[in-house]
Amino acid sequence: MTTDTPMVVDQLNLFIRQAISSWESQNKRINSLLETLTETEWHGATAPGRNSGKYLLGHLIAVNDGMLTLLGVGDRMFAELDEPYVKKAEDAAALNSSIEELKSYWQRLNTELSRHFNAMTADDWFTGHTAVSPEDFAKEPHRNKMNILLSRTIHQGYHLGQLVYLLKKK
Amino acid sequence: MTTDTPMVVDQLNLFIRQAISSWESQNKRINSLLETLTETEWHGATAPGRNSGKYLLGHLIAVNDGMLTLLGVGDRMFAELDEPYVKKAEDAAALNSSIEELKSYWQRLNTELSRHFNAMTADDWFTGHTAVSPEDFAKEPHRNKMNILLSRTIHQGYHLGQLVYLLKKK
């Protein structure tokens, strides 16, 4: 039987902390935009004919909110945002929420997600996410909860790259 | 003395494979843009007054090329791209390379990086990157090579979010 040195456990836990920290650093960059941009600027398009800042903010909230169920840690907080901000394109959607409401949702959601992330054990992160069947997970062990965290972190970075176009050019 | 089940080693190795795979999936999305967009489209701005596709492609090559030295696996392949694509803003830079050249650099670099990533052991990923001093690394163990991989993956996603604006609107 193979036995590992304690170092392996330390490495694994460090790695998980780094993945959470990568997530949090994307959050912070979006928080910084929330502090900087005016409500009018959030309503503007990130580029001509492209999504508005408001749509992308609602989109990030809706997609990130879905992590609560994918990770199996709780119920959706803002499932009503899926229809306007994920299922529909911006020009077809009724974006009822105000920027102030979205800001508040964003902060509440991130507090909740961080709490869950930090409570999860290494074993938790390596179990299948809730949208993969046990049969498929047995064949594809990378479809675990860590994969959700990594992919959603990159997804935040992707839209952050677009949101920075709302900032005035220097 | 603590001993771990083999599962911890498996989890650690799976985690590393997932991080590499996240990197590769960003590469593939940029490869797909390279196949889709014309040379003229690459020369266009991603949004009015913002960086061109060409500048962002050169920027990604230069930044990713820096991983060779940060990971301590080899010499820079395209260090000459730093000056025009990283140190200088686009309007001040002489972007001498053609899109065809940049495409070729991109592919050669990714082949080289993938080869090194797949040859690195778990212990390698947890050593300090070459820009952190041993003293600082002792205090901040997250400044390891894995951190370079995670942060550069998100960096690719960030600029990919901008590069997709080169695609025609549907």
Side-chain angles (χ1 to χ4, degrees), chain B residues 20 23-24 27 108-120:
Chain B
I20 295 173
W23 163 271
E24 289 173 342
N27 275 181
R108 283 165 55 199
L109 176 63
N110 284 335
T111 302
E112 188 70 3
L113 285 172
S114 277
R115 190 171 69 78
H116 288 297
F117 292 168
N118 289 299
M120 286 171 70

Side-chain angles (χ1 to χ4, degrees), chain A residues 4-5 9 11-12 15 18 26 46 48 50 123 126 144 146-147 153-154 157-158 161-162 164-165 167 169, chain B residues 4-5 9 11-12 15 18 26 46 48 50 123 126 144 146 153-154 157-158 161-162 164-165 167 169:
Chain A
D4 308 320
T5 63
V9 174
Q11 285 180 340
L12 184 64
F15 205 155
Q18 287 180 234
Q26 296 308 299
T46 49
R50 306 291 176 173
D123 283 346
F126 289 92
N144 50 35
M146 179 49 64
N147 208 40
T153 300
I154 298 169
Y158 178 94
Q162 300 169 338
V164 295
Y165 282 177
L167 292 165
K169 278 166 270 179
Chain B
D4 308 321
T5 63
V9 174
Q11 287 177 341
L12 184 65
F15 205 147
Q18 287 181 231
Q26 297 308 298
T46 49
R50 306 292 177 173
D123 282 346
F126 287 92
N144 52 35
M146 178 50 65
T153 299
I154 298 169
Y158 179 93
Q162 300 169 339
V164 295
Y165 282 177
L167 293 165
K169 279 166 268 180

